[in-house]
Amino acid sequence: MLTMKDTEAIRAAIIALEKHALELWNDGDPDGFIALSSDDVVYMDPALEHKLTGKEALKAYYDPIRGKIKISEYRMIDPIVQLTADAAVLTYDYEVHRDGCIFRMNCTEVYRTNPSGQWEIIHTHWSFFQPAK
């Protein structure tokens, strides 16, 4: 059973992994997310007609945009990590300031520990932010 200290350390580690991958992404480098993703990752994005399955499909999707993204200011808003015995669910709101515009999305990442004890993403789901009317 995890202690409160262990739980908080895992939560902080998951958020740090995600922030590092976002920093790379915002400089046009998708390798942070690719490295974090499991071989059987499932990726859902509103820009896609269908979900992607597997790390190779994710790499193929990211390759054409490599080096083309440049985001100088972003916020990971209210990250929450929920834990189970061998998985963690990270949810957060993502806000980007680019070219005088503000772009918002919601993100859910499901992490699990791999056989070597490292956290990896097994499911990503991006959705557009829908403000209340």
Side-chain angles (χ1 to χ4, degrees):
M1 181 135 190
L2 293 174
T3 67
M4 182 67 124
K5 185 177 178 181
D6 293 336
T7 299
E8 289 308 312
I10 292 169
R11 286 183 173 136
I14 295 289
I15 292 169
L17 289 169
E18 190 80 7
K19 282 184 176 180
H20 176 71
L22 281 172
E23 289 291 327
L24 293 173
W25 175 264
N26 291 338
D27 197 33
D29 182 356
D31 289 338
F33 281 113
I34 292 169
L36 280 177
S37 295
S38 67
D39 289 339
D40 62 344
V41 67
V42 174
Y43 181 88
M44 300 177 78
D45 188 310
L48 297 170
E49 186 174 348
H50 302 284
K51 68 182 178 280
L52 298 177
T53 304
K55 188 183 258 188
E56 292 306 314
L58 186 62
K59 284 181 191 175
Y61 176 59
Y62 283 160
D63 275 344
I65 56 177
R66 182 178 297 279
K68 295 180 181 175
I69 296 170
K70 210 49 147 169
I71 298 168
S72 59
E73 184 182 346
Y74 82 95
R75 294 186 332 151
M76 176 191 262
I77 302 167
D78 195 24
I80 296 172
V81 179
Q82 297 168 292
L83 295 171
T84 67
D86 59 354
V89 178
L90 168 64
T91 55
Y92 61 94
D93 301 325
Y94 179 64
E95 181 180 278
V96 170
H97 297 253
R98 184 176 176 189
D99 302 327
C101 296
I102 298 174
F103 179 73
R104 295 183 178 107
M105 292 191 78
N106 303 308
C107 183
T108 301
E109 301 272 34
V110 180
Y111 284 78
R112 73 171 173 220
T113 52
N114 64 22
S116 64
Q118 301 299 310
W119 288 101
E120 63 184 8
I121 298 170
I122 60 170
H123 182 87
T124 297
H125 189 130
W126 287 98
S127 61
F128 291 120
F129 173 77
Q130 297 293 324
K133 295 184 184 204

